[in-house]
Amino acid sequence: MKYATDARMIRTIPFFLAPIALSFLALFAFRQPASAQALPGDSMGGIGTQPMMAANARRTDSAWAQDPGQFFSAPYGDQHFFGSWLGLQPWLVKHGIHIAADEHEELAGNFRGGAKQGVTDAGQTGVEIDIDWNKLAGLKNFWTHTMIVNGHGTNLSTEYIHDSLGGVQQIYGARGNVVAHLVYMYAEQSLFHNRLDISAGWIPVGSFFAASPLFCNFMNVSICGNPAPGKYVPGGRDWPSGNLGVVMRVMPTVDTYIMASMFAVSPHAFNGGISGWAWAQSGLGHFSTPVEIGWLPEFGPHHLAGHYKAGYGYDNSQYNDLYQDINGGSAVKTGLPFRKESGVSTAWFQADQMIMRNGKGPTNGLIGMAGYMYTSGKVSAMKQHAWAGMIETGAKWGRPLDTMGAMFHYFEMSRSSVLQQESSMLTGQPLLSNQWGAAWGIQTHEDVYELFYNIHAARGMSFQPDFQYINRPGGTTTYHDAAVMALQFNCIL
């Protein structure tokens, strides 16, 4: 077995810990009034992980019933660091134009384990434009949504830990080496008093299905935006990759919904090219059809909101079997072409429930959450992912705009992927890459533990110290378990 340590890199750790210490000083340097509370309908502290959705602007006080997955998180409200932009922003909103610009940075370093010790930064600048065409042009309940980002930096998990399964930074990759990467651009029409909602255009599949605005409180990319493994198969790619598609959501009651959709499946490594703007790519002749049902109850006099959803997606494309050749043997051993598998299935169940309320906002309280996702193991190297965690805001200790949370993940790799890797090792061949990138050994399973505390430091600004422990990095025993300290910075400009 291989264990690699670069002692020189350890000397960088005190430098790395310094900004984390400074962020805790912000906890006391920026005081919050004890009466500060997030209001119902508050939007998330950062942009770019979920679309705003027209329903956000139309919502009532009945939990998140006006939209099942796509808006706000804990608990800053629609604050901007530069305030009203000298009065420009209120004027734009009055005329139906909602603009948000966001700077997001994630400094992370593994001070123990992995292939070698190191520190990297990964970041993103994003601009979101949501237009209410009712205010702008009299088109009732019609919106358009656009998100453009610029990503930069280096991925700690792949470069230093050699773990491609549970990336410790949520911001890296898939954006292409371009100035302006298009994430989504779609139109939304709401009908019958918001009972029917139709969206069509360039849409990230995972921003609608198996989505939760709570997920991106956590840094680990396996849950942020949308859970793995569904977002790593071509028919379910999530933010920042879009697909041409249409989504229809029906709400039979105020606390239930049914969503169905059809997306064109891109056979390319980058949907829309590396820039996201090339919508007319070749090979778009197959479709994925995710469906989801949800129940959004509220319990008791304190309106303890819950979100329970289950879904299934089917992609009718053909993909290579990870192990078998055209005769059913090991393709790695025989050298024959891999067998084609028709169709890829993905299924999920997830839930979150507020257990105790400590403020008026939809996420002001102690929230428990858990979920499970499965993907066809003959095509996807990761077969299943289970997670459980909690989130709590800081009202109990006089910091109502702070958030803390903990999460556990279990990833299990597919039997076909394991057989392929065993065949490669027996025949002396290099291990093949899969949807998650390079494999550094036989991948069986991996556990990830994450703990964070998000500090509301100033208007529209937050710092988040974050700790993650990765058991069996990359799903193998090739490297020691990794321990990572990180600092996330977010500012809505």
Side-chain angles (χ1 to χ4, degrees):
M1 300 202 306
K2 178 181 177 182
Y3 297 98
T5 302
D6 188 344
R8 292 171 297 177
M9 293 302 298
I10 298 177
R11 292 197 294 269
T12 69
I13 300 304
F15 166 79
F16 168 69
L17 292 177
I20 294 182
L22 291 174
S23 70
F24 276 109
L25 290 177
L27 188 66
F28 305 98
F30 299 94
R31 296 182 179 179
Q32 295 175 293
S35 61
Q37 297 290 345
L39 298 176
D42 285 352
S43 57
M44 66 186 297
I47 66 170
T49 53
Q50 306 290 341
M52 175 180 174
M53 301 299 294
N56 189 14
R58 302 188 304 268
R59 71 178 301 278
T60 67
D61 290 338
S62 58
W64 302 344
Q66 293 299 313
D67 191 82
Q70 282 82 7
F71 61 90
F72 64 76
S73 186
Y76 306 143
D78 53 359
Q79 298 180 353
H80 293 260
F81 183 73
F82 292 113
S84 67
W85 302 350
L86 299 177
L88 176 61
Q89 191 194 62
W91 185 89
L92 290 171
V93 171
K94 181 180 178 180
H95 291 81
I97 302 172
H98 301 248
I99 300 177
D102 181 88
E103 178 61 29
H104 188 98
E105 299 292 333
E106 295 179 340
L107 182 68
N110 63 310
F111 60 89
R112 176 189 185 278
K116 56 184 177 181
Q117 275 64 65
V119 179
T120 72
D121 175 72
Q124 167 187 281
T125 302
V127 177
E128 181 177 6
I129 304 174
D130 300 275
I131 299 178
D132 179 355
W133 289 94
N134 182 30
K135 292 182 179 179
L136 195 63
L139 301 177
K140 188 176 181 181
N141 292 332
F142 183 76
W143 287 66
T144 55
H145 311 280
T146 302
M147 165 64 72
I148 298 171
V149 299
N150 174 270
H152 58 269
T154 305
N155 178 8
L156 179 78
S157 290
T158 57
E159 296 296 323
Y160 289 92
I161 303 176
H162 285 182
D163 174 25
S164 55
L165 303 182
V168 298
Q169 291 154 304
Q170 61 180 246
I171 302 296
Y172 73 86
R175 288 155 179 81
N177 187 22
V178 296
V179 174
H181 177 88
L182 177 66
V183 177
Y184 55 77
M185 181 183 289
Y186 65 95
E188 179 190 5
Q189 177 71 63
S190 181
L191 302 166
F192 307 116
H193 303 286
N194 303 332
R195 296 289 189 179
L196 173 63
D197 194 273
I198 302 173
S199 298
W202 189 255
I203 300 172
V205 179
S207 290
F208 281 79
F209 294 90
S212 170
L214 298 174
F215 285 162
C216 281
N217 284 279
F218 300 91
M219 273 185 58
N220 197 282
V221 76
S222 67
I223 197 71
C224 178
N226 190 258
K231 64 181 176 180
Y232 288 92
V233 295
R237 286 177 179 159
D238 184 31
W239 208 101
S241 292
N243 292 62
L244 283 172
V246 58
V247 180
M248 181 174 68
R249 185 185 72 243
V250 178
M251 300 194 70
T253 67
V254 72
D255 60 357
T256 60
Y257 71 88
I258 303 170
M259 278 198 302
S261 66
M262 178 175 288
F263 289 94
V265 178
S266 171
H268 302 278
F270 287 91
N271 291 19
I274 62 172
S275 68
W277 295 91
W279 292 10
Q281 286 181 297
S282 61
L284 294 177
H286 293 88
F287 300 93
S288 66
T289 52
V291 295
E292 183 176 281
I293 59 174
W295 177 44
L296 317 171
E298 288 185 343
F299 299 103
H302 299 294
H303 303 285
L304 302 178
H307 305 84
Y308 301 84
K309 58 183 67 177
Y312 174 80
Y314 182 77
D315 173 4
N316 69 355
S317 308
Q318 285 193 334
Y319 298 100
N320 287 339
D321 188 288
L322 291 176
Y323 173 67
Q324 293 184 347
D325 64 17
I326 54 177
N327 296 322
S330 169
V332 172
K333 286 183 179 180
T334 65
L336 294 174
F338 284 90
R339 169 181 288 181
K340 293 292 184 180
E341 296 290 342
S342 295
V344 178
S345 295
T346 301
W348 61 91
F349 172 78
Q350 60 195 66
D352 63 74
Q353 178 62 56
M354 183 177 287
I355 302 168
M356 182 182 302
R357 179 172 289 282
N358 54 35
K360 296 181 180 180
T363 60
N364 285 120
L366 176 63
I367 300 173
M369 53 196 303
Y372 171 82
M373 177 171 277
Y374 160 88
T375 300
S376 302
K378 289 189 175 183
V379 172
S380 172
M382 184 186 293
K383 183 177 181 180
Q384 51 192 352
H385 171 198
W387 65 91
M390 58 77 64
I391 289 177
E392 168 70 294
T393 51
K396 294 290 186 181
W397 49 93
R399 300 284 304 179
L401 300 182
D402 288 1
T403 310
M404 66 176 296
M407 180 74 82
F408 166 75
H409 302 270
Y410 172 77
F411 312 114
E412 184 177 295
M413 308 306 284
S414 73
R415 180 60 177 162
S416 294
S417 177
V418 172
L419 289 173
Q420 177 208 94
Q421 292 167 353
E422 290 176 343
S423 294
S424 296
M425 297 192 74
L426 288 172
T427 56
Q429 300 182 54
L431 297 176
L432 299 178
S433 298
N434 53 47
Q435 296 97 329
W436 281 260
W440 301 94
I442 296 177
Q443 298 175 301
T444 56
H445 66 276
E446 177 179 321
D447 303 315
V448 174
Y449 306 82
E450 180 173 359
L451 179 67
F452 76 85
Y453 189 95
N454 187 282
I455 302 166
H456 179 253
R459 181 177 59 192
M461 179 185 294
S462 67
F463 293 90
Q464 179 169 310
D466 190 283
F467 172 76
Q468 296 180 56
Y469 186 86
I470 300 92
N471 173 238
R472 299 172 56 87
T476 79
T477 57
T478 304
Y479 302 106
H480 281 304
D481 292 357
V484 174
M485 291 295 295
L487 176 63
Q488 182 186 86
F489 166 80
N490 195 84
C491 184
I492 302 179
L493 303 177

